[in-house]
Amino acid sequence: MIDLRPIHIELPPWVDQLLADWPKVYGSDEAAMGLAIALARENVRRGSGGPFGALVLESVSRRVLAVGVNQVLASRCSLAHAELLAIGIAQQSLGGPDLGRLVPGGCTLVSSAEPCAMCLGAIPWAGINRLVCGARGQDVRAIGFDEGDKPKEWARALERRGIAVIRDCLRREAAAVIRDYPDAGGIIYGPRREKRG
């Protein structure tokens, strides 16, 4: 018999507590990235997931619509990346999959690290019109994570679709959270790398 239960992924309870101390509107990308990094850092500190945090903002008002933290191990689901959770929560709370149509002026995804191959594909599907990244893919790969097969010119590919890409926003701070993850007992997970002879 096939199990037909729906996928159920929740953010850790501490996320609401952390958000109580942060603004609901962000005047700059750096301020919004500060929240994404704080989410990632707290996820590592509490041992509740990987070193990644994200949020979705209304691009015009800069109001927070949703946040996400990596929950891959906690949920036992490879889809539970911070970016995908933030996007999914925003979509469900607004009642549709195309955030670009639901929010006048579109939505910005702020991520503590550049997107992996899976999250990269979700960005245009979700109707995101701006992407702000902290750490680079090489910062993530340096501790052993596999980002998947992304086009070398992935940022230009998004820009050709009309999605603005801002890189290296508080990169040093975001990369420090990633570097600290293994020392905090964090598990490196992801696709197995099969070597072919």
Side-chain angles (χ1 to χ4, degrees):
M1 182 91 178
I2 297 174
D3 188 349
L4 300 176
R5 289 180 294 176
I7 294 173
H8 184 78
I9 302 168
E10 290 186 6
L11 295 178
W14 59 260
V15 171
D16 280 337
Q17 298 162 355
L18 184 138
L19 291 176
D21 296 331
W22 285 79
K24 307 297 179 251
V25 176
Y26 291 86
S28 70
D29 290 338
E30 291 78 12
M33 183 60 70
L35 175 55
I37 293 168
L39 288 162
R41 184 180 298 115
E42 193 67 7
N43 210 28
V44 172
R45 189 181 79 75
R46 291 188 180 246
S48 54
F52 307 104
L55 53 140
V56 174
L57 303 173
E58 292 180 347
S59 292
V60 175
S61 74
R62 309 285 294 172
R63 181 174 67 92
V64 176
L65 294 174
V67 303
V69 293
N70 182 282
Q71 291 292 281
V72 169
L73 295 177
S75 68
R76 300 175 306 280
C77 180
S78 63
L79 304 175
H81 286 205
E83 301 95 324
L84 295 182
L85 294 183
I87 288 169
I89 291 167
Q91 290 168 326
Q92 289 192 342
S93 68
L94 293 173
D98 188 343
L99 296 173
R101 288 196 173 142
L102 295 169
V103 178
C107 289
T108 297
L109 175 63
V110 179
S111 177
S112 65
E114 291 179 345
C116 70
M118 178 172 63
C119 296
L120 178 64
I123 291 167
W125 277 90
I128 299 292
N129 71 339
R130 287 183 80 241
L131 170 64
V132 180
C133 308
R136 289 256 177 156
Q138 64 239 41
D139 300 322
V140 176
R141 289 188 302 274
I143 68 163
F145 279 110
D146 183 343
E147 292 292 275
D149 297 324
K150 292 191 323 190
K152 189 173 185 172
E153 299 293 324
W154 65 267
R156 284 198 182 139
L158 288 180
E159 289 167 344
R160 282 193 297 274
R161 288 176 168 268
I163 301 166
V165 177
I166 295 85
R167 298 170 85 181
D168 300 330
C169 182
L170 302 182
R171 179 183 178 186
R172 188 171 40 123
E173 295 89 338
V177 175
I178 293 166
R179 280 193 312 273
D180 292 344
Y181 177 66
D183 293 337
I187 297 169
I188 306 298
Y189 52 85
R192 282 186 240 171
R193 297 180 193 139
E194 301 291 332
K195 293 189 178 182
R196 296 183 183 194

